[in-house]
Each structure stands twice: as C-alpha cells, then as structure tokens.
Amino acid sequence: MSLCLGFAPLSAFGQTANTGAGGDPRTSVAQPEVSGKPSAVATTSIQATLGDAADPTGLRRFLSDRGIILSFNAIADILGDTNGGTRRTATVLGRLDMQLDADLDRLAGWHGAAFRVEAYQINGAGLTRAAVNDLAVVSELEALPSTRLYELWVEQQFLDGQLAIKLGQVAADTEFLVSQTATLFINSTFGWPTITGTNLPSGGPAYPFGAPAVRAKYLPSPNLSFQVGLFDGDPAGPARPWNDPDPQRRNRTGTNFRLSDPAFLIAEVAYAYNVEERARTGRVLDEPGTVTFGGWHHFGRFDSLRFDDTGRSLADPASTGNPRRFRGDDGLYAMIDQTVYREPGKDDEGASAFVRAMASPGDRNLVDLYLDAGIGYRGLLPGRSNDTAGVAVSYARISPSARGFDRDTILETGVAMPRRRFEALVEATYQAVLGPGVTVQPNVQYVFHPGGNVPDPRDELGRRIRNATVVGMRATLTY
C-alpha cells in the first residue's frame, strides 16, 4: 500500500468547510470526501473516530496549537485489465502522502505567511504501463515506485488577504485546470488532462512532479479570482542520448530543482456565482457554479511530428531526419462546474456537472483538442448521504501532423498499419464512505483506441491495441 496526503491544505487564504478543490469557493455539491487528485480537499479524518487514541502522545495537538498541521492520506488501488489492451493482468498500486502545513504567523510571528512541504511514497505497478498503454493514465496514483518531494513553498499574503504570492517548488495541478466535480474520478485525465500531460515536456509541472515556480493569486472579491504561475518548463530536464528517456527516472526524488529550462507560463480567471446562502427555489439558475477561462504558453522549442527542416515528410527515406523546429507552444481552455440539482431540504446532497475544453496547435503537438465532461451525485442512495456516484467521459483528438505522418508512412512503405485518430474514455465510479476518513471506491473504465489507435507491440501482425475494459477498487484512509 502507498499513501498520499494533504487534502486539507493550510494556505495564506485559509481553508473552510466551504472550500472547493483548488482552493476556490465550493460550488459543487458532488465534490467527494476524499480524492487522489492533488487539488482536492479532504473533509473528514479518522481522528474523529479514534479520539484521543489518534494522538496518544499529544504531539499532533501540541503542533496544531502552534500552527503546524501534519496530515496523511493513504490510497491503494487494485486494478485489472479484463479485456483489450496489450494483455490481461491486474496490478496493485499505492501512495502515501505526507504533508506539513505551517501558519508562520502563529509559529514565528511572520504575519500573513504560510509554509508547506509535501512528499509522496509510491509503490506498486501501474496498469497503464503494464497493459493498457493509454494516454489518459488509468489511475492518478500511477508513477514509478519512489519516495519523492512534491511541493515545498512559502506563501505570503498582502492587501488583507486579497493578494498572495507563492514561491518555491509548486505543482500546477493543485490550482490550475481544476474541476471540483472531476476530483471524484480515478483516471488521471480528470485532474491534469491528457492534452497537457502529453504535450508538455516531462508532462509539465504536475503529479508526480513539482517545479520551481512563482504563483500570484488575486481575489478582488470572494467570487472572483485571477491567478498566474511561472514555472521551470521541464521538471525532469530534457532527454539526452546519455540519460534515461523516462522523465520519472531523470528526476527520481523530485529534488532536481531545475531553473535553466525555458519557462512555462499559465494563467486563469475564475468566477464563482450563487455561492451565498439563499432560499432554495429548485431552479438550476439559483444553484452555485464556477466558470473558468485560462491559457498557457511554453517558451521552449518543439518538434514537428510530420516534417523535417527542409519541409519534407519525416517518413520519406530522403528526409534529413531533423524535425522542423517551432518556437513556443500554447494552449487555451475553458471549464464550468455547476450544481444542477439539490435534494429538497438538503444543502449537501445532489448532483453537479462539469465540462472542460482545451486546444493547442496541431503542427507541434500529439493532441490538439481535448474535451471532458461528467456528473456526480452525492447522496444518491437512501441512507447513504455521504456517498458520491459519478460518470465521466473524455476525448483526446490526435493532431493533424501526427495523423499525416501515419499516412505518409503507409504511402512510403506500402505496409498497412493503424492510423492514429483519437482516444476516448468512459468512467463510472461510486465512493462509499465507511466512516470519517475511510472510503472504498469501485470503478469501471472503458478506453477507446488506447494510445490514440497505435499498433500493439505484442501483436506480430501489427494490429492496433484493442479497446480496453478496466475494473478496480480503491481504498483510502485519511488522518
């Protein structure tokens, strides 16, 4: 088993029961109690059940009285590829997250400042690497076994809490591109989406990586936020002939602290509406929601997936073999989280939905268009008011340059082969709360065109990887 921790972060802005994933006001009634997404917020702990037995030495209470919060979250996934993919197999994957948050005002008299250090201990095998070979990694826990630093930062607030500057090692997926409803789902794409994880160097500054960064967040009102982050653009460093092609092996411990790579800049604006308590009319228009718009730019250089530096197809035997180089890369995105139904007389039971869309240039990226959407329902079954059920879908379109390269290869070689088109996913899950801080979560996923419709490396005839069916169970313990 492995653990992941820290779903109740202490920040310069503080956390309340009304805080949503990513630190924005909670507008999704279907936000789950526990999630493996780094942006999520845990609302309960096993300590509530254990009482004094949860802190037998009094250390946790002693530290809390001085503004230091220790939190731990253990998550274990059992996942099996029951059909399709490259082979039938099952894996066990775990993560332990250990997080320390400090209110530096209470601890050291440093007004308006907060500190965090967070580390993961990851073990087991991931099903995407073992069998499915999809772009949308089956579990957001999946990473190579390691003990690694995730985040290490100081945050200072100004203007009575309206402005906060964060400096240190930061992960973009804790605050940017976050859907509160989507934190329910197990597949990684419903956190840091496939399009960014695939197109950015080393997958971008997102789990399992943080990167040296500065982030500024401005709240002119409780409903409106602006934030911008400037990150080192390659948390593992570039692949070279003399080092490992896998970025997780190039940065095994999360302590590379790279500062010399071309930068990654991301910015977004979010508006939360209908957050204030009001008489419930039963109309969707009166329910809370958040609409977000954002974009990113990477200042590095990116290779064409189809043409060389003379304009000839890379599939042509006469090609130089040197891809055309592009200066910079970009992405634009929009999303909405919306509570769509609330149980009569209940503030914390009902349904929420989310939709996200993102696009990047098709001449230098493997994925040029990404869409996902889903719905979650908290309290769906009678007598299970804390359980959350959900269904979500995602779609990642393979770019014209990658599709064109496949066509060129077939024409040049005369050999039939699968042509990449898209990858799509459907996930259904149910999180059952067994007690404070303890959940189990059965999960089913169906992956269309794993890898975008690529050949199966285990198939002697070169046929594509078949659509995959994944079933599994997750267990979590939060302390």
Side-chain angles (χ1 to χ4, degrees), residues 164-188:
I165 307 295
K166 182 182 289 185
L167 180 66
Q169 176 148 303
V170 182
D173 57 340
T174 62
E175 296 181 85
F176 294 91
L177 276 162
V178 175
S179 161
Q180 296 175 20
T181 305
T183 58
L184 169 67
F185 299 97
I186 287 175
N187 193 286
S188 68

Side-chain angles (χ1 to χ4, degrees), residues 40-362:
V41 179
T43 58
T44 62
S45 167
I46 194 172
Q47 184 170 359
T49 300
L50 298 178
D52 291 340
D55 189 22
T57 66
L59 176 62
R60 209 176 196 209
R61 185 180 304 108
F62 174 84
L63 294 175
S64 178
D65 291 342
R66 288 155 180 79
I68 300 175
I69 304 298
L70 289 173
S71 53
F72 302 86
N73 195 59
I75 307 181
D77 282 343
I78 301 174
L79 296 164
D81 182 344
T82 62
N83 184 58
T86 60
R87 60 176 177 147
R88 313 291 80 68
T89 190
T91 62
V92 179
L93 176 65
R95 190 178 76 189
L96 172 63
D97 180 3
M98 300 157 283
Q99 182 172 301
L100 183 150
D101 286 288
D103 180 343
L104 297 182
D105 191 355
R106 295 172 61 190
L107 181 64
W110 183 354
H111 180 67
F115 167 82
R116 169 176 296 173
V117 58
E118 182 174 5
Y120 291 125
Q121 195 282 313
I122 307 163
N123 57 59
L127 195 65
T128 284
R129 286 180 183 250
V132 183
N133 291 267
D134 51 341
L135 302 174
V137 180
V138 169
S139 168
E140 74 264 47
L141 306 186
E142 183 166 336
L144 293 180
S146 62
T147 299
R148 60 171 57 245
L149 178 69
Y150 184 51
E151 289 197 308
L152 175 65
W153 49 254
V154 174
E155 186 179 55
Q156 175 68 57
Q157 69 174 11
F158 305 91
L159 305 177
D160 294 326
Q162 286 187 299
L163 174 66
I165 307 295
K166 182 182 289 185
L167 180 66
Q169 176 148 303
V170 182
D173 57 340
T174 62
E175 296 181 85
F176 294 91
L177 276 162
V178 175
S179 161
Q180 296 175 20
T181 305
T183 58
L184 169 67
F185 299 97
I186 287 175
N187 193 286
S188 68
T189 195
F190 299 115
W192 192 243
T194 297
I195 188 171
T196 47
T198 300
N199 294 344
L200 291 172
S202 300
Y207 179 81
F209 297 120
V214 57
R215 188 276 283 144
K217 187 170 185 176
Y218 177 58
L219 285 73
S221 75
N223 303 81
L224 182 64
S225 69
F226 299 88
Q227 61 179 348
V228 58
L230 183 67
F231 298 77
D232 180 89
D234 192 342
R240 303 297 189 196
W242 58 84
N243 64 18
D244 200 295
D246 190 319
Q248 291 184 44
R249 291 193 174 96
R250 297 199 301 273
N251 186 359
R252 292 175 179 270
T253 61
T255 56
N256 281 14
F257 302 129
R258 297 184 61 84
L259 295 170
S260 59
D261 304 294
F264 170 68
L265 178 70
I266 185 169
E268 70 178 36
V269 54
Y271 178 70
Y273 48 88
N274 295 338
V275 177
E276 301 82 4
E277 290 296 325
R278 62 170 66 192
R280 300 298 178 189
T281 65
R283 298 185 303 170
V284 172
L285 292 178
D286 287 335
E287 294 294 351
T290 304
V291 60
T292 303
F293 297 95
W296 59 264
H297 177 76
H298 196 289
F299 291 86
R301 290 183 176 272
F302 293 79
D303 292 343
S304 169
L305 301 184
R306 186 178 187 185
F307 298 110
D308 70 8
D309 50 6
T310 67
R312 190 183 297 271
S313 173
L314 289 165
D316 190 330
S319 167
T320 66
N322 300 315
R324 178 185 176 187
R325 299 279 278 170
F326 294 96
R327 187 183 298 275
D329 200 1
D330 303 278
L332 293 174
Y333 61 90
M335 58 184 174
I336 185 170
D337 259 299
Q338 175 68 56
T339 293
V340 296
Y341 173 74
R342 199 177 297 263
E343 294 277 1
K346 303 288 183 65
D347 284 335
D348 58 355
E349 295 181 40
S352 296
F354 75 93
V355 177
R356 293 191 300 179
M358 191 168 186
S360 287

